[in-house]
Amino acid sequence: VQLQASGGGLVQAGGSLRLSCAASGRTVGIYARGWFRQAPGKEREFVAEIISRGAVISYAESVKGRFTISRDNGRNTWFLQMTSLKPEDTAVYYCAVRFPGVSEYGSWGRGTLVTVSS
């Protein structure tokens, strides 16, 4: 499966952005769709995931109440609506998928840079 994240940009603190991830190729049977981020000098970290058709949604504590993950069930696309952005949200955001029986995410696509200015 190939993934392409988009929607990043420069925004002031308190602003909003909506990221999109488009999947192509082997998309049948995807179990979970996730968002991760990697800030400069830090390891990649989990942001949010949506499992199956939205039966289970999880968020990192740092983004709860500010970010919302959703998916378009008719297309292989999912989103990350980010509000009340903070400078510490600055990172390259990646989308990834997980298939049944696999514990880790894979198929990392090219990320999209989000920069939040103070």
Side-chain angles (χ1 to χ4, degrees), residues 21 32-36 46 48-50 69 78 94-98 105:
C21 181
R33 294 161 172 81
W35 286 99
F36 293 74
F46 168 80
E49 68 177 355
I50 184 166
I69 188 171
W78 59 103
Y94 299 89
C95 53
V97 297
R98 187 156 58 92
Y105 275 87

Side-chain angles (χ1 to χ4, degrees), residues 6-117:
S6 61
L10 174 63
V11 63
Q12 288 187 332
S16 300
L17 279 176
R18 188 192 195 210
L19 306 183
S20 299
C21 181
S24 60
R26 182 203 165 192
T27 59
V28 175
I30 292 175
Y31 175 68
R33 294 161 172 81
W35 286 99
F36 293 74
R37 67 186 182 186
Q38 187 168 19
K42 295 187 177 181
E43 294 187 353
R44 186 163 56 196
E45 64 176 2
F46 168 80
V47 175
E49 68 177 355
I50 184 166
I51 294 176
S52 190
R53 286 184 173 267
V56 178
I57 294 176
S58 302
Y59 297 97
E61 284 297 324
S62 58
V63 307
K64 274 185 180 178
R66 300 188 298 121
F67 291 10
T68 303
I69 188 171
S70 62
R71 62 170 290 193
D72 184 333
N73 288 327
R75 297 183 292 177
N76 291 307
T77 305
W78 59 103
F79 311 96
L80 186 68
Q81 179 68 48
M82 307 185 294
T83 63
S84 302
L85 283 161
K86 305 174 181 180
E88 51 263 44
D89 294 318
T90 295
V92 177
Y93 284 71
Y94 299 89
C95 53
V97 297
R98 187 156 58 92
F99 286 89
V102 179
S103 61
E104 297 184 354
Y105 275 87
S107 301
W108 302 95
R110 182 180 299 178
T112 185
L113 176 63
V114 172
T115 304
V116 184
S117 63

